[in-house]
Amino acid sequence: MDTRRLYSFIKIVDAGSITRAADILHIAQPALSQQLSALEAQFGQQLLIRSKRGVAPTEAGRALYRHAQLILRQVDLAHAAVEVSGRAPAGGVSVGLAPYSMGAALALPLLRSVRERYPDILLHINENFGGVISEAIMTGRMDMAFIYGAGPLKGVQFEPVRSEDLFLIGSTAHGGEGEVALEELAEVPLLLPSRIHTIRQVVDSAFQQAALRPNVVGEVESALTLVNAVAADLGATVLPWSAARAILDVRSLVVRRIVNPVIQVQLSLVTSDSQPLSEPALAVHDLFLELVTAYDTESDAGDDKQG
């Protein structure tokens, strides 16, 4: 198969127009149309629906688009592996981090460690929600991610890393020290992420099972906005301790573990289940797990010191 045709097909779908794709690729439109016709003849399927507004992939075209992305990524990885064979790992590695997760605490150490140990690896860090990240991994646009959830999810392999309890975090107006029962939490004004986020789903599920409703006064997707809102006492929030410590000045806030029941989230390192990690991605993967272990050790030592 001519990979140039696959690359052209991806550009046509992305641009939504053969004319625009021809401009992007710097080739004549008739030549690009000929490549598309050759692909359709090869697969015996119509791949695009043409209209005055441009083109859109058919069902067969969408299937080819997904596989073409994976094929071209594998070709790129093969070129990179051959080019750097016998040398230190080199190339681009894309890592996704779920917002409001332990990933917020590890992003900077990961970037620093990669630069120190693997200066020829270009690390791309993307903070986004689990569903968006999972799709990126399935289509080969991202190598790995540290997100909430334990699977299963088709196309993605989950490697459980740790479970974390959830805590109520807010001003002294939201109670004193010690644990807080879920029933008490029903009266607290909460600032939570939207329902597409795993933390919100876990919290909503716990309330539903207890026949209670959370008092959500705001949905906040931005970590910076959440920090400012909690600091301004506009509401309390619910986070794992690692995430709270990474983004909030918890010294000035009340931090209370939620009990009756204890609410937990699972953090996992996810990769594609259909394509292996490249050599540089595998190096970053192992380094990430090393940083998680070091973070856990430091956290335990800090807890013992506080106690």
Side-chain angles (χ1 to χ4, degrees):
M1 182 179 293
D2 190 340
T3 55
R4 291 174 300 176
R5 292 175 181 171
L6 293 179
Y7 182 76
S8 297
F9 176 71
I10 288 175
K11 291 300 180 183
I12 293 172
V13 173
D14 288 342
S17 163
I18 295 177
T19 302
R20 285 197 293 272
D23 290 339
I24 294 171
L25 295 168
H26 303 293
I27 63 176
Q29 182 178 334
L32 187 57
S33 296
Q34 189 175 22
Q35 289 187 32
L36 176 60
S37 298
L39 268 181
E40 291 183 324
Q42 181 176 359
F43 286 99
Q45 295 272 4
Q46 182 181 352
L47 300 175
L48 295 176
I49 300 173
R50 300 156 177 81
S51 68
K52 294 180 179 179
R53 293 176 295 180
V55 297
T58 61
E59 188 66 32
R62 285 192 290 271
L64 178 60
Y65 180 83
R66 291 192 299 271
H67 285 284
Q69 288 182 312
L70 295 174
I71 291 169
L72 293 179
R73 177 169 174 76
Q74 288 298 111
V75 171
D76 289 341
L77 292 175
H79 280 294
V82 171
E83 184 179 349
V84 302
S85 58
R87 304 206 306 265
V93 178
S94 179
V95 177
L97 300 174
Y100 305 136
S101 75
M102 180 181 163
L106 293 179
L108 188 59
L110 179 64
L111 187 59
R112 180 183 296 114
S113 297
V114 169
R115 289 193 61 186
E116 290 174 352
R117 295 195 196 181
Y118 307 108
D120 294 326
I121 291 180
L122 178 62
L123 184 65
H124 175 79
I125 296 177
N126 185 324
E127 186 172 312
N128 218 317
F129 293 102
V132 176
I133 288 176
S134 298
E135 183 181 352
I137 289 176
M138 283 186 283
T139 56
R141 292 181 287 111
M142 187 175 291
D143 294 294
M144 71 196 79
F146 196 54
I147 65 174
Y148 291 114
L153 183 62
K154 185 178 180 181
V156 173
Q157 178 176 313
F158 284 78
E159 184 178 354
V161 174
R162 58 183 284 163
S163 294
E164 294 192 305
D165 295 345
L166 294 187
F167 290 75
L168 172 67
I169 300 163
S171 70
T172 54
H174 305 302
E177 298 179 353
E179 298 174 333
V180 57
L182 184 68
E183 187 174 358
E184 298 176 62
L185 202 62
E187 304 299 323
V188 177
L190 295 176
L191 299 167
L192 298 175
S194 66
R195 288 185 173 87
I196 66 172
H197 196 284
T198 303
I199 285 182
R200 176 64 180 277
Q201 294 170 9
V202 169
V203 171
D204 283 350
S205 176
F207 272 93
Q208 186 176 12
Q209 291 179 20
L212 298 169
R213 293 185 64 182
N215 179 22
V216 180
V217 297
E219 294 183 336
V220 183
E221 307 292 4
S222 164
L224 179 59
T225 301
L226 181 69
V227 169
N228 293 332
V230 172
D233 198 18
L234 297 179
T237 192
V238 174
L239 288 174
W241 168 243
S242 62
R245 194 176 70 166
I247 66 175
L248 293 168
D249 182 6
V250 293
R251 293 170 298 177
S252 62
L253 299 172
V254 171
V255 180
R256 307 177 69 189
R257 180 169 171 263
I258 301 170
V259 296
N260 298 328
V262 171
I263 309 176
Q264 289 189 324
V265 288
Q266 175 74 54
L267 276 163
S268 299
L269 192 57
V270 299
T271 54
S272 170
D273 66 1
S274 62
Q275 54 181 329
L277 291 174
S278 65
E279 184 181 1
L282 185 59
V284 172
H285 170 276
D286 293 344
L287 182 55
F288 202 108
L289 292 180
E290 182 181 319
L291 290 173
V292 171
T293 301
Y295 182 89
D296 287 341
T297 302
E298 292 173 6
S299 298
D300 291 343
D303 290 343
D304 291 342
K305 188 175 181 180
Q306 288 179 355

